[in-house]
Each structure stands twice: as C-alpha cells, then as structure tokens.
Amino acid sequence: MRFVAIFFAFIFCICSVAGTDIPEKLMEVEQLAFQMCELDGTMGLTWLEVQTCEVTYADEIAENNIPIPSEDNFIAADLNKDGTLMFDEWMEWVEYEESTEQT
C-alpha cells in the first residue's frame, strides 16, 4: 500500500511544482488514497477516516518519515466546511496554497 504512504506525504503538504498545476502522478496517487481511506460509504474523507487511515498505515508512515496531517490542515482544505474533504476541494486547496506561496 505504498500509495497510501505517498498520500499522507502530499494530501496536506504542499508540494513544489512549477505553476499551479498538480502533477498527474500526484493526482493518481491522491485518487487512490481517497478510495483506500474511504470507510463510511460516502464520497470524500472525514477527519475520522483520515485518522483511521493513519493508524492502519502507521508502520509505513513511520518507515517513510511521512508527516502526519493536522486537523487544522484538514479543516483548511475542507473548503465548504461540511466536515468531509472531497477530492475536488483538495485539488482547489493545493492549487490555491501553491499560488499564494509563489507570490
């Protein structure tokens, strides 16, 4: 489940990319991670699902020195503030964060 480890490296950490485009490989990894961490049958991830995923993949996260996302990052990325992070929200948040870092 290497892609889940990669998921945590990128979901709440803004990667350095040229422009505001998210690299295709990152998009693929994120989509897989959103699917793997989905537990309640409803699209998107809740903070509880993210925490559960962290526990499930704790060994891999530790082995790869992957920073654990904070609840504050989750809340910031949940743009409509409904408690569920949708993939589209994550994309918009990453693009926005990247664009503000470049200015």
Side-chain angles (χ1 to χ4, degrees):
M1 301 298 177
R2 180 119 176 95
F3 61 87
V4 175
I6 295 169
F7 163 76
F8 284 107
F10 292 111
I11 189 168
F12 296 107
C13 298
I14 305 305
C15 61
S16 296
V17 295
T20 58
D21 293 334
I22 300 171
E24 188 173 328
K25 182 65 175 171
L26 174 57
M27 295 283 284
E28 292 171 8
V29 169
E30 292 301 330
Q31 288 172 332
L32 287 172
F34 264 76
Q35 291 172 6
M36 291 299 298
C37 294
E38 169 52 52
L39 300 173
D40 64 10
T42 304
M43 285 188 60
L45 297 175
T46 64
W47 177 242
L48 180 59
E49 288 173 312
V50 171
Q51 289 178 306
T52 301
C53 212
E54 290 173 2
V55 171
T56 301
Y57 299 102
D59 291 341
E60 193 165 9
I61 291 168
E63 286 173 13
N64 293 289
N65 295 318
I66 297 169
I68 302 295
S70 72
E71 188 172 11
D72 288 340
N73 289 129
F74 179 88
I75 291 168
D78 179 18
L79 300 177
N80 67 0
K81 307 300 181 208
D82 67 354
T84 301
L85 180 61
M86 304 301 286
F87 187 76
D88 289 344
E89 288 177 308
W90 172 82
M91 286 187 339
E92 187 175 335
W93 182 72
V94 169
E95 290 170 351
Y96 173 77
E97 290 295 314
E98 181 62 28
S99 71
T100 59
E101 284 183 4
Q102 293 179 9
T103 56

